[in-house]
Amino acid sequence: MRSNLFDAANQERQTTDRWALQSNKLLRCSLTPDAPEIISASGAMVAYQGQMDFSYQGSGGGMKLLKKMATGEGGNMMRTRGQGEIFYARQADEIFLIQLEGEALTLNTKNMLAFDSSIQWDIKSLGGAGFMAGGLFNLFLQGQGMVAVTSDGPPMLLDCSQQPTFVDPQAAVCWSANLQPQIKNDFKMGSLIGRGSGESFQLGFHGPGFVVVQPSEGIQIPSSS
């Protein structure tokens, strides 16, 4: 049988790295019984080799459980343990890896692909304005381990320390956890009639840190007429 499908570029890349990109849209993770488990977005697994055990990632109880019930954030996560290799992807989005070494990161939950279970996580909201801007609840990650983040297109890194930076909430992928974004509304009420809220509200960032932006507002669900 002959086909360019069998070219070396399409074959699994052999590596000893625990986290490795097979391509810019496919992630390979190696699991062993003594390594941290992996927490991923539900449905992100596209293939695996070896023996894997999948389970629902619970909230851990307490306030985290209440936040999940109230917001729905963090509710669609899976925990994987086992021996072998597992592959993750989502909507053919681009994937990039972030190594946390004690730092913290705030992540749009729609852009979370997977992270080491050694990383502590919680659900954060943008204060009382969260629901007004479409339910802006995000995932706060802190500790030691790897995080895999998706971007709908090549991501752009913006430095927020030089001047105020404003980002569409649907385009914001992740940002420095020390930044406290504010909701900004540049439109008068009359101009919002008959329009979507994509550009009605922005997240305002200012201070030492960064925000990652994707060149897309993500998958848009059309409203029924």
Side-chain angles (χ1 to χ4, degrees):
M1 186 180 296
R2 298 188 183 191
S3 171
N4 57 5
L5 177 64
F6 304 116
D7 290 351
N10 297 325
Q11 297 177 20
E12 179 184 351
R13 297 180 183 178
Q14 299 300 323
T15 175
T16 58
D17 294 337
R18 172 171 158 82
W19 296 71
L21 292 176
Q22 290 290 294
S23 70
N24 64 342
K25 298 183 179 183
L26 185 63
L27 172 66
R28 172 189 184 271
C29 293
S30 177
L31 275 170
T32 59
D34 56 347
E37 299 169 356
I38 293 177
I39 299 175
S40 66
S42 181
M45 186 276 292
V46 295
Y48 69 88
Q49 294 178 309
Q51 300 296 323
M52 297 291 168
D53 180 29
F54 303 95
S55 60
Y56 167 71
Q57 167 57 47
S59 65
M63 288 302 298
K64 194 182 293 186
L65 173 61
L66 294 178
K67 291 176 185 178
K68 287 180 67 173
M69 293 174 60
T71 66
E73 298 297 328
N76 296 318
M77 296 195 295
M78 299 296 293
R79 178 179 288 263
T80 304
R81 64 176 65 87
Q83 176 81 50
E85 295 77 40
I86 186 167
F87 300 85
Y88 296 106
R90 185 165 58 189
Q91 300 296 330
D93 286 348
E94 299 197 20
I95 302 171
F96 57 98
L97 300 176
I98 302 173
Q99 177 74 53
L100 292 184
E101 298 175 329
E103 306 92 346
L105 179 74
T106 302
L107 174 65
N108 189 330
T109 53
K110 295 186 301 182
N111 298 91
M112 188 278 287
L113 184 67
F115 59 91
D116 278 319
S117 62
S118 56
I119 296 175
Q120 298 177 347
W121 65 275
D122 198 2
I123 299 165
K124 302 286 186 179
S125 70
L126 299 181
F131 287 106
M132 179 180 66
L136 296 180
F137 296 88
N138 303 286
L139 200 61
F140 175 83
L141 303 174
Q142 184 174 29
Q144 300 277 346
M146 192 72 78
V147 182
V149 179
T150 63
S151 175
D152 187 6
M156 176 177 62
L157 181 72
L158 295 176
D159 181 0
C160 305
S161 62
Q162 301 302 313
Q163 59 185 338
T165 302
F166 302 94
V167 179
D168 186 310
Q170 306 302 319
V173 174
C174 62
W175 56 87
S176 301
N178 62 286
L179 295 177
Q180 300 297 321
Q182 303 296 317
I183 301 295
K184 189 172 187 294
N185 178 11
D186 285 334
F187 291 82
K188 296 180 180 179
M189 185 59 68
S191 68
L192 300 181
I193 298 176
R195 299 174 181 269
S197 60
E199 282 123 12
S200 304
F201 299 94
Q202 303 91 45
L203 296 181
F205 300 87
H206 194 198
F210 65 87
V211 58
V212 176
V213 180
Q214 64 184 12
S216 166
E217 295 181 346
I219 298 177
Q220 303 297 311
I221 302 176
S223 58
S224 58
S225 58

